[in-house]
Amino acid sequence: MKFKLIVASVSDEVTDAIVDAARAEGATGCTVVTSARGQGLKKTKTFFGLDLSGARDVVLIIVEQHLSRRILERISEAGGFDDRPGTGVAVMIDVEDAVGLGSQIHTLQSEIEDEI
């Protein structure tokens, strides 16, 4: 079984929406790293040296490759990445090897059996 890693940097108000969207498309879990910082095309404003940009989260989702594109597109829709600038960005990376997914592999095999 081959996997992809979806890494999404999102504003914290859309984190739950993209996690729910990923689960609805077949993701079996994720890791959310909170309080990340990022910058886009325009530098964020500060107030006496304090950053005024909203909090960001980094969401890490390991998914089976057959489900990966569908999940990536769905989280983009749920987060409004293309509709609202600054909401988030997601990339997908090949995973060469992974451990600790034994309990999820059985679930994934039954879910994607028809697609393979």
Side-chain angles (χ1 to χ4, degrees):
M1 193 169 274
K2 294 188 179 189
F3 296 97
K4 302 273 188 175
L5 172 65
I6 297 175
V7 179
S9 173
V10 301
S11 58
D12 66 344
E13 62 263 4
V14 299
T15 300
D16 290 337
I18 70 157
V19 168
D20 292 343
R23 282 195 173 274
E25 289 297 331
T28 56
C30 70
T31 299
V32 178
V33 181
T34 60
S35 300
R37 287 185 10 179
Q39 288 188 3
L41 287 173
K42 298 177 184 174
K43 191 168 179 157
T44 56
K45 295 181 181 178
T46 62
F47 180 73
F48 293 113
L50 299 174
D51 189 2
L52 295 178
S53 63
R56 304 206 52 86
D57 293 337
V58 175
V59 182
L60 307 170
I61 310 167
I62 295 178
V63 299
E64 205 283 328
Q65 72 175 355
H66 292 89
L67 304 174
S68 61
R69 183 64 196 180
R70 197 168 65 208
I71 292 171
L72 184 67
E73 290 173 358
R74 183 65 187 100
I75 66 172
S76 177
E77 291 170 14
F81 295 174
D82 292 327
D83 302 331
R84 298 184 317 264
T87 305
V89 62
V91 297
M92 189 164 44
I93 304 166
D94 288 331
V95 174
E96 187 171 326
D97 201 0
V99 295
L101 300 174
S103 62
Q104 295 178 6
I105 288 178
H106 298 297
T107 302
L108 287 170
Q109 284 175 333
S110 64
E111 287 181 8
I112 64 164
E113 196 171 64
D114 297 332
E115 295 184 30
I116 297 180

